[in-house]
Amino acid sequence: MAISQFQAMVACKCPQCRKSDMFKYPAYKLLKATQMHSYCHECGLHYEVEPGFFWGAMYVSYAFSVAISVVVGVADFVLLNDPDLWVYIFTIIPASILLSPWSMRYSRTIMLYAFGGVDYRGDK
């Protein structure tokens, strides 16, 4: 039974076969979390569709960073009753740094699924 496109994106699986992992290491290995395989070991899809393709993932990553900053800022405002500026700085910056490997992985995955022009082939 094939997994859905959303499940494959969350698991960072190949968009063509939805079986093989796109990244070499799990996300919790922070120093190696951003290393990708160059191609799918199951179906042979080359992940970088064209040279410099993943430069566009910076825009998706920027959207993630803004979302993280807004969520942490609103949480600070609500939970800490509008604290001083330094509290916002010392909560938003570490949250952005700690979540940057996650942001990079998912921005590349979304970029490949949305703009890579790769169709799901299933068991063909």
Side-chain angles (χ1 to χ4, degrees), residues 26 43 45 50 63 91 118:
C43 66
L45 173 70
E50 60 187 36
T91 55
V118 179

Side-chain angles (χ1 to χ4, degrees), residues 2 7 10 16 18 20 24-25 27 29 32 34 38 40 46 51 54 56 59 61-62 72 87 95 97 103 112-113:
Q7 290 172 323
V10 170
Q16 186 166 284
R18 297 182 187 167
S20 182
K24 294 180 181 180
Y25 301 99
K29 293 191 175 189
K32 298 180 178 183
T34 60
S38 58
C40 176
H46 187 66
F54 288 117
Y59 296 105
S61 181
Y62 176 73
V72 173
V87 175
I97 291 171
S103 174
L112 188 58
Y113 272 83

